Amino acid sequence: MKIRKMIKDDIPQLEILYRLYWNEKSDIEKMKEKFDEINNHEDYLLLSAEEDNKLIGSVMGIVCQELYGPCKPFLVVENLVVAKEAQRKGIGKALMAEIERFAKEKECRQIILVTESDREDALSFYPKIGFPKGANSGFKKKLK
């Protein structure tokens, strides 16, 4: 298994991973356009986990600026996915370790993520990698 920066050729396999998790089809051409925009931005990190030339995981980190306290940035984690058959093999942990390294490099004060309350796998995973359970509550409002 190898963790690396995402490349545009990962997009078709990424769409399949996303669909398995969120049961929603994505427009691959739009994903490729957005990839070019995001990938050229220094405050984004798109990572892929691959094994035998197959995408088995991915995560995105976004550095956001802050206006309180020491005004240090924070990192938001989005769309951590690991293929079902590849789970419990350290892939999510390796992706998150690389995200944390990026956050430290960018001098972020904290890492923030949100997961659905019914995702029992995620709710048990994040405390194992250092995100305290029950320390915070997250909210998400979908906009049309």
Side-chain angles (χ1 to χ4, degrees), residues 73-116:
F74 61 94
L75 187 111
V76 175
V77 174
E78 271 296 310
N79 303 331
L80 174 63
V81 293
V82 175
K84 300 278 186 207
E85 69 275 8
Q87 291 180 358
R88 302 198 191 300
K89 296 181 180 176
I91 295 158
K93 184 177 181 179
L95 286 164
M96 289 299 291
E98 189 61 22
I99 282 287
E100 187 169 329
R101 186 201 60 73
F102 176 71
K104 288 176 180 176
E105 177 183 297
K106 294 289 189 171
E107 299 181 359
C108 292
R109 186 174 186 193
Q110 62 185 345
I111 297 173
I112 298 172
L113 61 87
V114 173
T115 192
E116 285 77 15

Side-chain angles (χ1 to χ4, degrees), residues 1-5 17 47-59 80-83 85-98 125:
M1 186 264 306
K2 179 169 88 171
I3 304 295
R4 60 168 172 72
K5 284 193 171 185
L17 274 180
L47 294 175
S48 292
E50 77 169 350
E51 191 170 66
D52 300 325
N53 295 318
K54 181 181 178 193
L55 186 74
I56 56 172
S58 177
V59 68
L80 174 63
V81 293
V82 175
E85 69 275 8
Q87 291 180 358
R88 302 198 191 300
K89 296 181 180 176
I91 295 158
K93 184 177 181 179
L95 286 164
M96 289 299 291
E98 189 61 22
F125 169 71

